[in-house]
Amino acid sequence: LSACASSLPRVSEETAVQRYQSYAGAPVERFTAFRVAGWTALSRDKLVLWTGVNEAWLLTVWNNCQDLQFAERIRLKRTGASVTRSDMVLVGRERCPISEIRQIDVKQMKADRAAERGRDTPQR
């Protein structure tokens, strides 16, 4: 299974990681993903894997994945439709074992961003 990176405006690595971590739930052992809609590298060891419009997962991989932030494509080495902590993210020739999986509350994240935009809009 392979996917292309999302093209989002660049923010600092620390800001990007904090943004998603603040909406991430408790670690889980696995999740089911029949397809990957996209992904976003946050740091050398963290990425968001989008499996639907309102479904995303924060994956932490071992810190040996040097090219993750610069990759245009990734692949998942897994068996079946589930992604587990024993699977790997493949970046070029690098094999990046998954050490943690956390579901992101995408609906809440979107609602908070919409509320922020509403506060930034001048009132007439």
Side-chain angles (χ1 to χ4, degrees):
L1 180 66
S2 65
C4 296
S6 302
S7 57
L8 296 175
R10 292 283 178 204
V11 295
S12 78
E13 178 180 310
E14 185 177 326
T15 301
V17 170
Q18 287 175 352
R19 176 184 302 154
Y20 286 99
Q21 278 186 323
S22 66
Y23 292 99
V28 297
E29 290 297 315
R30 70 180 36 178
F31 66 93
T32 301
F34 294 106
R35 70 177 192 76
V36 174
W39 64 281
T40 305
L42 303 177
S43 68
R44 182 176 175 166
D45 68 338
K46 293 195 183 330
L47 71 144
V48 175
L49 193 67
W50 294 89
T51 55
V53 174
N54 289 313
E55 186 174 63
W57 302 87
L58 178 63
L59 303 182
T60 302
V61 297
W62 291 7
N63 200 17
N64 66 336
C65 202
Q66 298 176 9
D67 293 335
L68 180 60
Q69 292 172 273
F70 312 105
E72 292 181 18
R73 293 178 48 174
I74 64 167
R75 292 179 296 140
L76 292 174
K77 184 176 186 309
R78 64 182 180 165
T79 53
S82 290
V83 176
T84 69
R85 286 189 38 226
S86 61
D87 293 330
M88 293 186 195
V89 175
L90 305 175
V91 180
R93 294 185 179 176
E94 291 182 326
R95 300 167 67 90
C96 309
I98 298 170
S99 61
E100 186 178 74
I101 301 169
R102 298 170 65 191
Q103 186 169 18
I104 297 170
D105 187 345
V106 176
K107 289 181 181 181
Q108 185 62 54
M109 184 174 68
K110 287 179 178 180
D112 289 350
R113 285 186 184 168
E116 283 178 22
R117 283 192 300 270
R119 284 193 303 265
D120 294 340
T121 304
Q123 300 297 320
R124 294 182 181 202

